[in-house]
Amino acid sequence: MSKKDSQSNPLSTSLPPPSPTPPTKGTSQSTNMTDKEREIHLGFMREALAMAEYALAHSETPVGCIFVHNPSPSPSSPNPKPYIIGRGYNHTNLTFNGTRHAEFVAINQILTSCPPSSSQPYGSEVLKECDLYVTVEPCIMCASLLRQFGIRRVFFGASNEKFGGTGGVLNIQDSNGKYDSFPEERKKDGEEEGKGGMREGDYEVSGGWLREEAIVMLRRFYVQENERAPEEKRGKEGRVLRLDVEPLALENGSGKGG
């Protein structure tokens, strides 16, 4: 495939090989999956990685995502299959707008497009039946947006230790991060850590999916010169792309992505 072809079609880009072992850190869903379920999640994560690859080819921070709709069963469709309804990648360099993260771009696409066989755009309620697959843990801003829309589940690749909103810094998916700042409130609420029930707006998180590939892609971006960055931060001479990634420390049932 030519470079031109790969840049014109975000779904035709070549991808690195998948991680040999999917993560077990995260929610109970990530620790009790069948091989078939894991392959389904890996397949969707590869689609998100394709969007990140497309972003990299266009000098954007390589973070990509997809939203997968899991329709409720109906008499006419008792066993509906999940399908992708939105795709996004970072547009922060392109637009000079720090809020144009992949999740925002994809949600905007969903809310301005129409379902199959319909002339009416999707309503925001559809996001309550959606799972997000994103190459990097959602930041605090995006994690809050997902909570407001009532996202069902989030699967991510690399953790975001500086700005992560689903375990990296705060746990917006759990009580809107209430217990991050006030851990003593958990006991007052009569809960044990990690054993509280789901509240309105809470959503499940599983991290580490194709983590190594997501990290290497970020490194590929940061070793090159970003023409849109401030001049004093552009110099990248002598930087070498590191391909080794430290293994993920697994913590089953932690409730945090990793």
Side-chain angles (χ1 to χ4, degrees):
M1 180 185 301
S2 68
K3 183 177 181 181
K4 180 179 179 181
D5 290 337
S6 67
Q7 291 184 351
S8 63
N9 184 354
L11 300 183
S12 66
T13 52
S14 58
L15 299 178
S19 300
T21 306
T24 56
K25 185 177 182 180
T27 64
S28 59
Q29 279 70 19
S30 66
T31 60
N32 299 313
M33 289 180 184
T34 65
D35 289 342
K36 182 178 180 180
E37 288 172 330
R38 289 177 185 274
E39 282 304 313
I40 290 173
H41 292 309
L42 282 171
F44 283 134
M45 185 56 73
R46 291 187 190 104
E47 295 281 359
L49 204 63
M51 298 306 297
E53 183 79 43
Y54 185 75
L56 181 64
H58 289 77
S59 301
E60 276 289 352
T61 307
V63 178
C65 75
I66 63 168
F67 282 81
V68 175
H69 186 208
N70 296 270
S72 300
S74 65
S76 60
S77 181
N79 297 298
K81 293 183 178 180
Y83 61 95
I84 299 171
I85 64 169
R87 304 174 189 267
Y89 64 90
N90 268 29
H91 281 55
T92 52
N93 286 338
L94 179 66
T95 63
F96 292 97
N97 184 339
T99 69
R100 299 298 289 162
H101 287 193
E103 297 92 331
F104 274 70
V105 172
I107 288 175
N108 183 70
Q109 181 194 76
I110 293 169
L111 298 182
T112 55
S113 61
C114 300
S117 305
S118 175
S119 59
Q120 297 298 318
Y122 284 106
S124 61
E125 290 295 311
V126 72
L127 292 167
K128 294 182 179 180
E129 296 183 331
C130 285
D131 295 337
L132 167 68
Y133 295 81
V134 60
T135 57
V136 177
E137 175 191 350
C139 69
I140 294 170
M141 174 182 69
C142 291
S144 180
L145 178 73
L146 296 170
R147 184 179 184 87
Q148 292 178 56
F149 276 116
I151 195 73
R152 195 176 78 142
R153 295 185 298 186
V154 171
F155 297 85
F156 69 81
S159 61
N160 186 342
E161 296 178 357
K162 291 186 177 180
F163 308 108
T166 58
V169 178
L170 296 179
N171 287 280
I172 302 299
Q173 82 283 2
D174 177 12
S175 304
N176 204 21
K178 173 182 178 181
Y179 301 124
D180 291 315
S181 300
F182 306 100
E184 68 279 0
E185 292 295 318
R186 192 180 292 275
K187 286 188 177 181
K188 290 182 181 179
D189 292 345
E191 297 182 4
E192 295 182 47
E193 186 171 1
K195 295 184 179 180
M198 298 286 285
R199 302 160 199 78
E200 183 177 0
D202 284 3
Y203 52 91
E204 299 169 0
V205 175
S206 180
W209 296 86
L210 299 186
R211 168 179 171 270
E212 292 84 357
E213 290 86 338
I215 290 174
V216 170
M217 195 173 297
L218 287 170
R219 290 177 180 172
R220 286 167 58 193
F221 174 77
Y222 285 114
V223 297
Q224 65 187 18
E225 185 169 309
N226 181 3
E227 295 180 355
R228 295 176 182 263
E231 189 170 347
E232 65 273 12
K233 295 184 178 181
R234 290 185 188 178
K236 301 292 179 73
E237 296 84 358
R239 290 199 177 187
V240 178
L241 176 62
R242 287 180 51 226
L243 298 177
D244 59 304
V245 178
E246 293 184 4
L248 179 67
L250 302 179
E251 298 177 12
N252 295 339
S254 68
K256 295 183 180 181

